[in-house]
Amino acid sequence: IALLPHLESYRSRWILTLVDVRTQDAIAEFERTYRSLGAALEEQVQREQAARAELQHRQVQLRTAAEVARATIAILDLPILLQTAVEVLRQEFDLYYVGLFLVDEAGRYAVLKAGTGEAGRKMVEEGYRLEVGGHSMIGWCIANRQPRIALDVGTEAVRFENPLLPDTRSELAIPLIVGEEVIGALTIQSDREAAFSPEDITTFEIVADQLAIAIRNARLFEQFRET
């Protein structure tokens, strides 16, 4: 009986300790949940920011593609049209190099008709050409009527190495198609690896379609003038 007060005191302390432990566990669980929710919210915000940035980038690309189309569609002098097109593309999309090839009458070679920079000027003067269907991205994309992309040119199996363009790290080749005919192709090059996304390819395809129509119109005008 004399020990009962001591046992009661011990029981009270044990209950308080148990309550304190449970409280600490609850607080710890709350903190874990809070951190988890905070991390999830931050991740969601980052995804939304990335989506907005991508949407803005896409809008800028489409506006730029429209600017390129407006800058070239009214030009009826073919050499001026081709050189204007590659210069505007290089400048507006901040590219390393842009070149435009047209397929020759025999359909065997793609001949460079316009190119940016000193390298482009030199290659045009020398009559630079690539075999259709040969070991180049331009030849492949013309023969297969579809774009070809090299995000790292060092690992691309089908690509012609050009010593005049040593800083190329990514390349995109897009055919110029009018109706059922492939009349040429664009080579679009960047000095950055993995520079082109699927959305970029879509944008450049829109530009290529508009440019192909402009080239056809310029050729028809030349034929009309000669007649």
Side-chain angles (χ1 to χ4, degrees), residues 45-103:
V45 170
Q46 290 177 349
R47 284 199 299 266
E48 291 178 356
Q49 290 176 342
R52 283 197 297 269
E54 179 61 31
L55 178 59
Q56 291 173 351
H57 176 66
R58 181 68 174 150
Q59 290 172 340
V60 170
Q61 282 190 320
L62 293 176
R63 284 199 300 269
T64 304
E67 290 295 330
V68 174
R70 279 195 292 269
T72 57
I73 197 69
I75 302 176
L76 294 176
D77 184 291
L78 187 58
I80 295 177
L81 165 64
L82 302 182
Q83 191 62 40
T84 300
V86 296
E87 295 291 351
V88 172
L89 274 170
R90 190 205 63 77
Q91 180 178 354
E92 294 293 337
F93 287 97
D94 190 25
L95 300 165
Y96 172 56
Y97 172 79
V98 179
L100 193 152
F101 293 80
L102 293 180
V103 178

Side-chain angles (χ1 to χ4, degrees), residues 101 172 182 216 222:
F101 293 80
L172 179 60
V182 183
R216 182 195 61 183
E222 283 187 353

Side-chain angles (χ1 to χ4, degrees), residues 162-206:
N162 192 332
L164 294 176
L165 300 169
D167 295 330
T168 297
R169 295 295 175 267
S170 304
E171 182 176 359
L172 179 60
I174 300 181
L176 300 172
I177 303 175
V178 177
E180 297 298 321
E181 181 184 7
V182 183
I183 64 173
L186 280 171
T187 175
I188 298 168
Q189 302 181 23
S190 173
D191 55 4
R192 296 178 291 111
E193 288 187 5
F196 306 118
S197 67
E199 291 76 17
D200 294 327
I201 297 176
T202 301
T203 299
F204 286 123
E205 282 184 307
I206 294 173

